[in-house]
Amino acid sequence: MDLVPALEEPLKKVLGPPTAKVMAEHLGLHTVGDLLHHYPRRYEERGQLTHLADLPMDEHVTVVAQVADARLHTFASSKAPRGKGQRLEVTITDGSGRLQLVFFGNGVHKPHKELLPGTRAMFSGKVSLFNRRLQLAHPAYELLRSDTDETVETWAGALIPIYPATAKLESWKIGKAIQTVLPSALEAVDPLPDSLREGRGLVPLPEALLKIHRPHTKADIEDARARLKWDEAFVLQVALARRRHADSQLPAVPRRPAPDGLLSAFDDRLPFTLTEGQLKVSKEIFDDLATSHPMHRLLQGEVGSGKTLVALRAMLAVVDAGGQAAMLAPTEVLAQQHHRSVVEMMGNLAEGGMLGGVEDATKVVLLTGSMGAAGRRQALLDLVTGEAGIVIGTHALIEDKVQFHDLGLVVVDEQHRFGVEQRDALRGKGKQPPHLLVMTATPIPRTVAMTVFGDLETSVLDQLPAGRSPIASHVVPAADKPHFLARAWDRVREEVEGGHQAYVVCPRIGDEEDDPKKARKAQKAAPEDEAEKRPPLAVLEVADQLARGPLKGLRIEVLYGRMPPDDKDAVMRRFAAGDTDVLVATTVIEVGVNVPNATAMVIMDADRFGVSQLHQLRGRVGRGSAPGLCLLVSEMPEASPARQRLAAVAATLDGFELSRIDLEQRREGDVLGQAQSGARSSLRVLAVIEDEEIIAEARREAAAIVAADPELTGLPGLRTALDALLDDEREQYLEKG
């Protein structure tokens, strides 16, 4: 966290260039401080062995076990036609289960001599499935002898730390490197204020670092983790608290809707009543808009909970108050979709200055990169004169040429798709900073919202409007049970025959512009990764196979992001009008596409999508009165983590529950948004889901400290830690968030 000169020492100097290079490339570790903060994932006890029975498929694991038996087989192969091929099979056990190790060719000689029955060792490799049995092929290993001084020294203490490792660098090599730099831990400067640390009974940072890497007892590990979790939670919350503090100092124009203006006229013509949730969230937003510093609010809600309606009412309130509102969508398809639905919802209230427009009406314009010159010119003119109260567009809105008359509110749809720089550029277009409303359809657990969007206030829409239908979801195991897949296509046909429509979603487009590197990489995969080896299924191939095979005779069209915008729009219009039976598409349909007559969705290679993405996609069906059906097709084996993930999605429609599962499986990634740039996670011991209380307390402490001393002048250790966490890139991320 905190890097003083000894901890800033490059690893190249301390460990030598070859090791340092692997650490930098594969683990993102560059300095002594980085390495000290690479904590063990777990610990093995000398006398107790890992449960081989619980090994995860396809993951790189380190186990401590004993050799039960070893057999050398000879066989004939293309490389060794005269029966000279050699294969060594070693069975290891830990009492809970057995695991097969295999070594081939010249690689058999050393293990054949060393891995004798009764030998104990640490083994490291990727778990694969062969003949329905778990195995490690060519694992690296380190013998655990008690007779040589060197090994006794290296494995001092009863607890062996197991580090997050890679194929290029085994856990025990990382452990040895850490032993080399461990003395530097004594120079780590403590970021926690003494009063906070002592008040909570936390050990000092140098002691925590020594205890996490060389614990003598389990209590040592507990002490270290408790302390390091606080560091992570607290330093991050201080960064966010300073951000909120700075925002609250900015000026903004209060926007209060006129009593009998556009908003009232809109509400009067709504054909339904707003849900309690929509009313409550709208009130929170209107209260924020009425203040003289900018609103920074996150609106999160389930797929189909009516977020767009809430955002539109906020935009109308701002137009009522004499300002303009801009809505940013991540793709052109979505911008067009939003524009269409806003204009439909507003009716003649969206025809300001036109024949048929009514008294309070305003103009709603669309602005995307692919518009014709004349349409674009008119849209820009409407914005600069203030004729258009609402503009909906893609990042084309951010270009220098786009000028607003008086930008009062920016609504950003689907935060995770939208770069921070873009939001920042749009913010700069107001005379004073505009109010900001961020919408996300990926429900986020409360603590994650406090961590990821800690500089935004959060509103949650968790009830679905009346009339939405339930969606049944099922996993279709295409490899184990091919007849299930055939039945899936029958179901699609039945839906179409019943007057409905269906989506088929694929991970890839399948034209020659698809990334050839990725395809090559997929072909190089290890033979055991059969389902992973082939490239993901593609829209164009699947559409062709369906049209000639199981869905022959149905009207099938394709949709993907790289199509010309007019073609995309035409395809969407035909589908919305019911002129197409089946739309085979990429995830371009993930957000915002609204076709109430579409009742079925088949997601091919569903294991290639994340949990929240599957939930988003599924939300496109069951939007009308007929029930929805979502089929998740996968070729992954039943025991694999990928299949467990799909089973979780099929089991619940609760997005908040799924987001918890997603996080527990993926870990948190980098909450400061650096996931895109490949930087390491800033969370190492803090688990956003489990450590809810620590995060909430750290947030309270951070707010109090920042309120008393925004510049942290009295806390130099904390300043240093912030600088290390918020290197330039992250600092900007928060600045612009």
Side-chain angles (χ1 to χ4, degrees), residues 266-267 270 272-279 282 306 309-310 313:
F266 175 75
D267 283 350
L270 277 178
F272 48 81
T273 50
L274 297 173
T275 64
E276 265 172 58
Q278 287 172 325
L279 289 168
S282 290
L309 178 62
V310 169
R313 293 184 73 237

Side-chain angles (χ1 to χ4, degrees), residues 471-479 484-485 488 505 601-611 613-618 629-636 642-652 658:
I471 304 171
S473 307
H474 304 284
V475 178
V476 178
F484 276 40
L485 184 57
V505 182
M601 176 177 285
V602 181
I603 303 178
M604 307 302 291
D605 278 344
D607 46 89
R608 311 261 178 150
F609 299 98
V611 169
Q613 200 174 25
L614 291 169
H615 183 57
Q616 282 285 106
L617 285 165
R618 168 171 66 185
L629 172 70
C630 178
L631 301 173
L632 307 166
V633 180
S634 170
E635 292 186 5
M636 295 305 266
R643 276 282 292 279
Q644 286 159 11
R645 218 170 50 230
L646 296 181
V649 174
T652 177
L658 283 174

Side-chain angles (χ1 to χ4, degrees), residues 378-515:
Q378 184 58 51
L380 290 172
L381 188 64
D382 288 341
L383 285 180
V384 75
T385 57
E387 184 83 13
I390 295 177
V391 57
I392 297 170
T394 54
H395 42 261
L397 278 177
I398 295 159
E399 291 171 12
D400 294 343
K401 294 191 203 80
V402 182
Q403 298 295 321
F404 289 85
H405 176 63
D406 177 14
L407 180 61
L409 169 67
V410 175
V411 179
V412 178
D413 186 17
E414 283 308 309
Q415 157 83 9
H416 60 270
R417 292 281 189 91
F418 212 81
V420 176
E421 293 75 18
Q422 287 109 316
R423 293 215 308 276
D424 195 41
L426 195 59
R427 252 188 197 167
K429 292 191 178 289
K431 291 174 182 150
Q432 283 193 337
H435 298 281
L436 175 70
L437 180 65
V438 173
M439 297 198 296
T440 171
T442 310
I444 305 164
R446 192 178 70 96
T447 41
V448 184
M450 281 198 306
T451 328
V452 184
F453 298 108
D455 55 335
L456 301 176
E457 299 300 324
T458 306
S459 293
V460 177
L461 270 178
D462 49 11
Q463 54 186 144
L464 293 185
R468 288 298 299 265
S469 304
I471 304 171
S473 307
H474 304 284
V475 178
V476 178
D480 314 350
K481 301 181 177 159
H483 59 286
F484 276 40
L485 184 57
R487 175 73 190 115
W489 300 127
D490 291 344
R491 283 293 290 113
V492 169
R493 213 175 247 291
E494 287 161 18
E495 289 298 312
V496 172
E497 282 162 7
H500 297 297
Q501 292 159 279
Y503 297 99
V504 176
V505 182
C506 305
R508 206 165 57 98
I509 299 172
D511 57 8
E512 63 293 338
E513 281 186 52
D514 272 355
D515 188 347

Side-chain angles (χ1 to χ4, degrees), residues 534-576:
R534 61 166 176 73
L537 289 171
V539 166
L540 300 175
E541 295 155 16
V542 168
D544 187 46
Q545 287 162 8
L546 292 176
R548 285 186 313 199
L551 301 185
K552 193 173 179 179
L554 300 187
R555 297 167 299 176
I556 297 175
E557 290 211 54
V558 298
L559 180 72
Y560 51 87
R562 275 210 303 268
M563 286 166 70
D566 292 350
D567 295 1
K568 271 192 288 206
D569 204 37
V571 169
M572 266 325 298
R573 277 175 193 280
R574 284 196 292 275
F575 190 64

Side-chain angles (χ1 to χ4, degrees), residues 7 35 73 102 181 196 206 233-234 278 368 382 398 405 511 571 626 652 662 693:
L7 275 68
L35 183 54
H73 301 273
V102 287
V181 302
L196 190 156
F234 178 69
Q278 287 172 325
T368 61
D382 288 341
I398 295 159
H405 176 63
D511 57 8
V571 169
T652 177
D662 196 16
E693 280 164 35

